[in-house]
Amino acid sequence: MSVVEDRDSVRTCVVSASGALGILGDHGTRLLAGPPASAGVERRSAHLARLGGLDLVDMEPEALRATVRHSGLEGRGGGQFPTAAKLELAATSPGSSLVVVNASEGEPSSRKDRTLLGYRPHLVLDGAMAAARACGAPHVVVYLHRARRVSTSAMLEAIEERRGDVAEVTVVDAPPRYVAGESSALVGYLDGEGAFPRRRRLPVAAAGVGGRPTVVLNAETSAHLGLIARNGAEWFRDAGDAGSPGSSLVTLAGSVAVPGLVVEVLAATTVGEALSRFGGVDEPPAAVLIGGYEGTWVDGSGAVAAPLGRGALAACGTPLGCGLLCVLDGGHCGLRTTARLVEWLAGESAGQCGPCVFGLPEVAATLSRLAGAGGARRDVRRLRQLTASIVGRGDCGHPTGVVGLVDSALDTFASDLDRHARGRPCTAPAAPLELAASIEAPR
Amino acid sequence: MTAPGASVQWSLEIDAARCDGHGICLLRFPEGISLDEWGFATVRDGRIDDAVSLRRARRVVAACPEGALRLSARTPVAMVGREPRR
């Protein structure tokens, strides 16, 4: 199958500012291709008419895994782990495998996963079935928040419409916690033990739910698989950059024209081009937070020049993670904004590991003092000391992610920090970024 | 499992969720353990290079009242959990 694409363009899909699923543009050529938002969820008949059927039974599992390997697909939930490695491990580990589509999307400002569920649920399910075929899984679990009613009902209706799939599908309601989407927490929850991250002897792809090999795929990763199974590895590699091929979904948040806008980036462009074209941000902003709330602050002039490709951004030490770009304008204080995020993130700890339980609240309190009027130079030294003793600790990436955010804020907002530390803070407020993770306003 | 003494790289690992900060590990294996400011253990350099260290490491694993320490014959796989971003 040949697909004609404009490689120089960035493709979009629009999500309304209210947080509910909104308008789907007519510009997408890959994940966001197809009918506009006014058409609502794409039904099975329309999906098949547009993309053709996907006869997985005719595909050998080994050949399917080889295709995924050649495609270079990496996970889109934040970890950027090679998808083929998970499938390979599951296929070669003892026990019957399980595929889990992780659509819990715990990042408060991110919208990409629920957008896919809400408009292209069959594409997500096609990918899950391809994964199931590739590792011999008779069962697929879709892990989502039922409280997000629009995307959930679209997915439930899509499941009802499926016929002749290689695996059965079950929907599981995720707990409304930031860490509940972490893969070991997800496995713990499906095992009936609560959604707590756990250090495991083996990767979950080798021994996960009930000891069975468990392939956990972010919803976007799964949707990519649905297209890779149809169009092949070379087609997939024609987008993205050499370091990490394929198109990427990006959610714009913060001081942009439409917070919650989801864009699909096909070819390597720059962060600045994407912000200008889709965010209405024509001048370099004060700063951009790249990769999610546990991502990295980059100062505005550096950010706009950065290539918006997964491989390139990872090489710069600012990975795209879950695809979130939060724009901070000059009217908001980066330190206050970070303090607000850290306070929330500290409260989202699973409460299991000492450095997270005792360390993060102290980081939050010190940063808040500094962000307010009561800060001093010793607070900056104390923050650096705290982040150094917390990085790499704990059983999951949460504490490390939070102190990474703090360190990048101390670097990026250095001149501002100096004024705050001398007791002469700026008067700008924190940016009003979303903090509640999971609920979607009904449409 | 390969017998100790063969060309196996043993490493001491900690399960941070189990550690309750009793501090016994620091008393038993000060060369390999340090405690953070809240009293929770960190493994300094998990690699166990000789038979004497291996014996001492085995004892410290047994001494932890929470069972938070263990010896592993391979390096931990980064696939578990979210990878650190920076």
Side-chain angles (χ1 to χ4, degrees), chain A residues 238-307:
Chain A
D238 207 31
D241 62 22
S244 185
S247 64
S248 286
L249 295 187
V250 170
T251 309
L252 302 183
S255 300
V256 290
V258 185
L261 186 87
V262 178
V263 304
E264 182 174 15
V265 182
L266 279 184
T269 173
T270 63
V271 171
E273 281 162 11
L275 290 181
S276 158
R277 192 156 166 198
F278 303 111
V281 180
D282 292 322
E283 295 299 314
V288 180
L289 174 57
I290 298 177
Y293 286 3
E294 294 184 358
T296 320
W297 283 111
V298 180
D299 83 279
S301 50
V304 294

Side-chain angles (χ1 to χ4, degrees), chain A residues 9 12 28 47 59 110 140 166 193 224 257 262 312 331 342 352 385:
Chain A
S9 65
T12 64
H47 169 77
M59 297 182 195
S110 183
V140 167
V166 297
E193 291 168 3
H224 281 297
V262 178
V342 170
Q352 301 185 113
Q385 187 184 29

Side-chain angles (χ1 to χ4, degrees), chain A residues 79 182 201 294 382 393 395, chain B residues 15-16 37 42 74 81 85:
Chain A
E182 195 270 344
R201 272 174 186 274
E294 294 184 358
R382 178 66 181 137
R393 307 281 306 281
D395 276 4
Chain B
D15 183 340
E37 57 185 280
T42 51
R74 53 176 182 80
R85 299 241 173 87

Side-chain angles (χ1 to χ4, degrees), chain A residues 30 63-76 81-85 87 221 224-229 231-247:
Chain A
R30 288 193 163 191
L64 204 45
R65 295 202 300 274
T67 301
V68 179
R69 191 164 56 246
H70 293 146
S71 76
L73 174 63
E74 294 179 329
R76 301 305 170 85
F81 192 86
T83 304
L87 293 172
T221 314
H224 281 297
L225 272 181
L227 291 177
I228 290 169
N231 303 331
E234 286 309 316
W235 170 84
F236 183 75
R237 297 190 69 91
D238 207 31
D241 62 22
S244 185
S247 64

